[in-house]
């Protein structure tokens, strides 16, 4: 399963939206069901509670297509450059190697960085089932 999140950083100030039972404040998403919110959850396994349209097409049984998807999103939304022209983030190959290894071992992968226009990009691939924290949340292809 994957999710892609692109928004201004102020959205992370709404931490009550990032947990399933958070109904304490009044941002626009406050009264939406957790499954319909767009703010990334605090625990990656809670992404499995969300079922956006087209999810079946972005649910993989093997690791390589998931890493390919992460790579395509990264290339579509590259990280912000440093003012001095030096690289501000690890090379893409570093992220790809770690994502491949993590997913093979059943660990979720989240790539996050700022874009040149100061928006924050967060992309996640979630392993399913999400052990050990969320074993009762069903997988999208279940």
């Amino acid at each position: 399963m994957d999710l892609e999140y692109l928004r201004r950083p102020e959205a992370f100030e709404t931490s009550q939206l990032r947990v399933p039972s958070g109904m304490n404040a009044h941002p626009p998403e406050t009264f939406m069901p957790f499954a319909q919110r767009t703010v990334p959850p605090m625990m990656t396994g809670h992404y499995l509670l969300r079922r956006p349209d087209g999810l079946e097409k972005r649910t993989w049984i093997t690791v390589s297509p998931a890493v390919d998807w992460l790579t395509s999103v990264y290339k579509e939304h590259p990280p912000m450059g440093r003012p001095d022209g030096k690289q501000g983030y690890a090379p893409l190959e570093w992220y790809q190697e770690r994502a491949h290894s993590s997913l093979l071992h059943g660990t979720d992968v989240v790539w996050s960085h700022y874009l040149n226009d100061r928006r924050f990009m967060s992309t996640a691939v979630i392993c399913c089932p999400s052990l050990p924290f969320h074993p009762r949340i069903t997988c999208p292809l279940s």
Side-chain angles (χ1 to χ4, degrees):
M1 173 177 189
D2 73 86
L3 272 113
E4 183 179 334
Y5 174 79
L6 182 62
R7 188 181 273 181
R8 300 261 176 229
E10 299 83 46
F12 282 95
E13 300 298 323
T14 56
S15 61
Q16 71 278 357
L17 297 176
R18 300 175 66 202
V19 293
S21 61
M23 298 294 269
N24 303 351
H26 302 287
E29 292 188 43
T30 300
F31 300 105
M32 293 173 67
F34 178 77
Q36 294 174 6
R37 295 179 191 159
T38 61
V39 176
M42 286 190 179
M43 296 185 76
T44 55
H46 286 153
Y47 270 124
L48 297 174
L49 295 170
R50 298 177 177 170
R51 301 288 199 251
D53 291 337
L55 182 62
E56 308 79 36
K57 296 175 188 169
R58 294 185 326 257
T59 301
W60 306 281
I61 296 172
T62 58
V63 170
S64 292
V67 175
D68 291 346
W69 178 81
L70 281 165
T71 300
S72 70
V73 173
Y74 182 94
K75 287 179 177 178
E76 185 179 340
H77 302 285
M80 175 173 60
R82 287 179 34 169
D84 61 7
K86 294 181 180 178
Q87 187 167 342
Y89 293 87
L92 177 58
E93 297 75 23
W94 184 89
Y95 289 108
Q96 291 168 317
E97 290 170 11
R98 272 135 197 90
H100 194 272
S101 177
S102 295
L103 292 170
L104 278 176
H105 291 94
T107 304
D108 301 337
V109 173
V110 179
W111 289 359
S112 301
H113 57 264
Y114 282 93
L115 307 177
N116 282 325
D117 63 2
R118 299 191 154 300
R119 288 182 298 164
F120 184 76
M121 178 73 188
S122 180
T123 309
V125 174
I126 310 305
C127 292
C128 192
S130 181
L131 301 175
F133 301 111
H134 308 288
R136 294 188 180 147
I137 299 175
T138 60
C139 295
L141 293 179
S142 297

